[in-house]
Amino acid sequence: MKKIYISILFMSLLSTFYIFAIPKWVTNLEAEFPCELFIRAKGEGNSEFSAKNAALAELNAYFGESIETKSYAQIIKTQDNSFYSSTSSYKEDVTVSTSSKLFGIQYTEIYYDKKENKYSICAYINKAEFFKIISQKLFFYEKKLESAQEENNEFIKILILNDIISNQNEIQTLYNYSYLLDSQNAQKFDELMVSVNESKVMLLKLKQKNPISVSCIGDYSTQVEKIISEILTNKGFIISKNGNCKISTTCYANISEHNNFFSCNPIISVSVELENNSSNFVFSSEEFASLNKQTVIKRALYEIKMLLNENLIQSVIN
């Protein structure tokens, strides 16, 4: 009788231990991650990797991000404006597309169910924290728009607006996220989206009004003119010999010889003039040396191209 009692007690202790070993989110997701505070998705799979990707794929789906699946997936979920919960079971791996822009995702510890031979994990996002990050990003673009509106130099205004419009997809995505997280507080960004759309029209008019003429004196003048014209054309500017916005450059390759070594130390001076407003910039690279003169000549042109690509637009904006 005593042995039977001990066996029953032992089995009871094992059962109790098993119950406590199961994470709370596995049996009661809402209690661990209330839908009012979190966006969460539980993923299951035959490996830790597939379980994690299953959960991540569900979060991506909630935010409207594209996902690529390499397996059959059975998904059960409910969703409305204030509630989202889902569980995914993937028999094989799931690959999340690189177009996903989600950030701030956290994960629980992986849970392995020996009886079912499957792995589970919960991916979750804290709504308040995520909204705060999104708000900071959108406020950044608001400040940029304000600086564009206050800028008197139309060339610089074009560059700032061009930068904003080039990031329009990101702005739209962040705006959409904000409404999914907190539709009431997200309304404060409505005016930003209207301004971004209006900026496209303003930018087009400014570019048409301000064609740019490019000139260069000094070393590699023809190549430098071509490089600058390509940079500006890629930004949507109109290049014209009679442009009312003038970009003048002076380029020095500074190629020299000493003790059979050839070296170069390119320096470029840039002047931007528009309606009595002018800005001047100087870009220079580190010295490069070689025994081969042709190598130095080619390197000088390469450095000049890199200097212009890395500094021309950014320097004017700042």
Side-chain angles (χ1 to χ4, degrees):
M1 186 70 180
K2 187 176 181 181
K3 289 183 178 180
I4 295 173
Y5 175 76
I6 293 173
S7 296
I8 293 172
L9 180 62
F10 180 72
M11 293 299 293
S12 177
L13 288 172
L14 280 179
S15 176
T16 302
F17 175 79
Y18 178 75
I19 291 171
F20 280 104
I22 301 175
K24 191 175 181 180
W25 59 265
V26 174
T27 56
N28 193 340
L29 189 61
E30 175 62 21
E32 188 73 7
F33 299 104
C35 61
E36 291 183 2
L37 304 177
F38 298 92
I39 295 171
R40 71 281 168 97
K42 187 162 67 174
E44 298 173 348
N46 55 7
S47 67
E48 293 184 21
F49 180 78
S50 60
K52 185 175 182 178
N53 275 327
L56 180 57
E58 277 308 297
L59 284 185
N60 275 275
Y62 173 74
F63 283 99
E65 299 289 351
S66 61
I67 56 174
E68 297 173 0
T69 60
K70 293 183 178 179
S71 63
Y72 171 77
Q74 186 176 11
I75 304 172
I76 302 171
K77 61 185 177 182
T78 57
Q79 177 179 352
D80 59 33
N81 291 334
S82 60
F83 172 81
Y84 180 84
S85 179
S86 70
T87 301
S88 300
S89 179
Y90 283 71
K91 295 183 179 179
E92 299 295 339
D93 289 341
V94 178
T95 301
V96 179
S97 168
T98 54
S99 65
S100 171
K101 302 178 183 68
L102 282 182
F103 49 90
I105 301 173
Q106 299 179 69
Y107 297 91
T108 61
E109 293 291 329
I110 198 77
Y111 170 68
Y112 175 62
D113 188 329
K114 291 183 178 179
K115 185 178 179 181
E116 299 293 333
N117 189 29
K118 69 178 180 181
Y119 293 84
S120 300
I121 196 169
C122 179
Y124 61 95
I125 292 174
N126 183 301
K127 287 184 176 181
E129 291 178 1
F130 196 35
F131 188 85
K132 184 178 180 181
I133 295 171
I134 288 172
S135 296
Q136 290 173 346
K137 289 176 176 286
L138 290 174
F139 284 140
F140 169 76
Y141 287 113
E142 281 188 345
K143 291 293 183 183
K144 272 204 164 187
L145 271 172
E146 288 176 8
S147 67
Q149 292 165 358
E150 295 169 359
E151 180 59 56
N152 293 322
N153 187 313
E154 291 192 347
F155 179 72
I156 297 177
K157 186 192 291 283
I158 289 172
L159 291 176
I160 298 173
L161 290 175
N162 207 77
D163 184 57
I164 293 169
I165 299 305
S166 67
N167 289 288
Q168 186 176 9
N169 288 339
E170 180 189 10
I171 297 171
Q172 184 67 57
T173 297
L174 293 171
Y175 177 70
N176 294 342
Y177 285 179
S178 70
Y179 262 88
L180 285 170
L181 294 165
D182 189 340
S183 59
Q184 186 173 354
N185 283 323
Q187 292 177 19
K188 61 187 175 185
F189 300 118
D190 290 350
E191 188 175 340
L192 169 63
M193 296 310 299
V194 172
S195 298
V196 169
N197 290 324
E198 290 176 346
S199 296
K200 293 171 68 176
V201 178
M202 183 191 305
L203 179 61
L204 180 60
K205 290 180 178 179
L206 284 170
K207 286 179 177 178
Q208 292 173 340
K209 178 186 174 184
N210 296 289
I212 301 172
S213 67
V214 178
S215 63
C216 179
I217 59 174
D219 302 324
Y220 305 109
S221 58
T222 302
Q223 292 96 323
V224 170
E225 283 185 21
K226 183 179 179 182
I227 292 168
I228 294 175
S229 295
E230 286 178 353
I231 292 172
L232 296 172
T233 300
N234 289 336
K235 291 292 182 181
F237 286 99
I238 298 171
I239 306 299
S240 171
K241 289 183 179 180
N242 301 315
N244 58 329
C245 177
K246 296 177 174 58
I247 295 183
S248 307
T249 59
T250 303
C251 180
Y252 299 104
N254 290 327
I255 296 176
S256 59
E257 181 185 2
H258 182 68
N259 293 335
N260 295 322
F261 270 90
F262 295 92
S263 64
C264 66
N265 180 211
I267 297 175
I268 306 170
S269 173
V270 180
S271 174
V272 180
E273 297 180 14
L274 176 63
E275 296 179 353
N276 300 321
N277 289 313
S278 63
S279 302
N280 298 285
F281 312 95
V282 177
F283 314 133
S284 62
S285 68
E286 295 181 357
E287 185 176 9
F288 173 80
S290 173
L291 288 169
N292 190 306
K293 184 177 181 179
Q294 290 302 315
T295 299
V296 171
I297 292 173
K298 291 179 181 178
R299 180 58 180 254
L301 183 57
Y302 170 80
E303 290 294 337
I304 290 167
K305 185 174 183 178
M306 292 299 293
L307 284 171
L308 290 169
N309 275 301
E310 293 175 0
N311 300 292
L312 179 63
I313 301 298
Q314 200 60 38
S315 296
V316 175
I317 292 177
N318 294 336

